[in-house]
């Protein structure tokens, strides 16, 4: 998206009462680490995603939502190529918390992903259909997990960023390149 590599996670609410109050969506990366003394521990770090629920306290699930993590300098995936991702050892934890508006009950939904479950170079199929005969939009929930391949660089986000910066400088009038 916009010349940047992104990790996209689709979430959705299949219930009829689709209003969730106080929504909190968090994505964390969990890795096993070893201290200098040889002690094993789990390192857990938050990953920045959009939409940022700290700015919007409730999400209306009219249709499923794609949570986007832009792989930038702050991302743990910034230096990973497609091949690196396949060899890495980590778990992505996704947690959705909120309050059901109808029952006023709190809930939590969790899932996790291992590196071999992340599809590099794939995009989610659109789930939104416009029905002319009913003059309204309809969500095709059978496509919730459906993806298709797109032409995506297999290099790291760092390499891709440097490539775009170099090409941008070449296109700017008045910017001289070194011989």
């Amino acid at each position: 998206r916009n010349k940047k590599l992104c990790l996209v996670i689709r979430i959705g609410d299949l219930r009829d009462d689709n209003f969730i109050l106080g929504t909190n969506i968090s994505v964390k990366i969990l890795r096993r680490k070893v201290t200098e003394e040889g002690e094993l521990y789990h390192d857990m770090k938050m990953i920045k995603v959009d939409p940022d629920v700290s700015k919007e306290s409730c999400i209306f699930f009219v249709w499923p939502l794609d949570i986007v993590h832009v792989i930038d300098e702050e991302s743990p995936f910034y230096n990973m190529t497609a091949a690196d991702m396949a060899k890495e050892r980590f778990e992505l934890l996704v947690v959705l918390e909120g309050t059901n508006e109808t029952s006023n009950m709190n809930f939590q939904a969790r899932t996790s992903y291992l590196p071999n479950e992340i599809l590099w170079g794939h995009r989610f199929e659109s789930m939104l259909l416009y029905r002319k005969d009913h003059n309204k939009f309809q969500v095709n929930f059978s496509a919730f997990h459906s993806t298709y391949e797109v032409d995506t660089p297999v290099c790291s986000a760092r390499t891709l960023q440097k490539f775009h910066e170099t090409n941008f400088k070449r296109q700017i009038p008045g910017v001289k390149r070194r011989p």
Side-chain angles (χ1 to χ4, degrees), residues 70 79 124 165 170:
V70 176
N79 293 308
F124 281 108
E165 287 170 357
R170 289 180 184 166

Side-chain angles (χ1 to χ4, degrees), residues 56-102:
E56 188 172 338
S57 63
C58 59
I59 295 175
F60 189 47
F61 282 103
V62 177
W63 43 71
L65 180 65
D66 289 343
I67 303 299
V68 179
H69 168 66
V70 176
I71 301 175
D72 58 14
E73 295 89 349
E74 297 174 23
S75 171
F77 308 115
Y78 187 59
N79 293 308
M80 283 188 209
T81 65
D84 294 337
M85 177 77 74
K87 292 185 278 183
E88 279 288 322
R89 296 185 70 183
F90 64 86
E91 187 170 3
L92 272 183
L93 304 171
V94 182
V95 180
L96 170 65
E97 298 173 297
T99 304
N100 180 306
E101 181 191 37
T102 308

Side-chain angles (χ1 to χ4, degrees), residues 97-142:
E97 298 173 297
T99 304
N100 180 306
E101 181 191 37
T102 308
S103 67
N104 206 32
M105 291 188 65
N106 293 334
F107 74 92
Q108 182 182 76
R110 298 181 304 268
T111 192
S112 68
Y113 301 93
L114 297 173
N116 64 338
E117 296 173 303
I118 297 172
L119 303 176
W120 188 289
H122 283 244
R123 188 170 288 152
F124 281 108
E125 293 277 353
S126 176
M127 295 178 57
L128 197 58
L129 309 167
Y130 181 72
R131 298 278 312 263
K132 287 183 183 180
D133 55 337
H134 292 97
N135 196 29
K136 67 177 184 177
F137 286 97
Q138 182 176 347
V139 179
N140 175 12
F141 282 101
S142 66

Side-chain angles (χ1 to χ4, degrees), residues 3 15 19-20 25-26 28 44-46 49 82 102 106 112 116 120 124 143 163 171:
K3 298 182 180 177
R15 298 169 305 143
F19 203 61
I20 299 172
I25 300 167
S26 62
K28 299 172 184 168
M44 188 179 299
K45 292 197 168 119
M46 292 289 289
V49 293
T102 308
N106 293 334
S112 68
N116 64 338
W120 188 289
F124 281 108
F163 171 79
Q171 295 173 4

Side-chain angles (χ1 to χ4, degrees), residues 34 108 152:
V34 181
Q108 182 182 76
T152 305

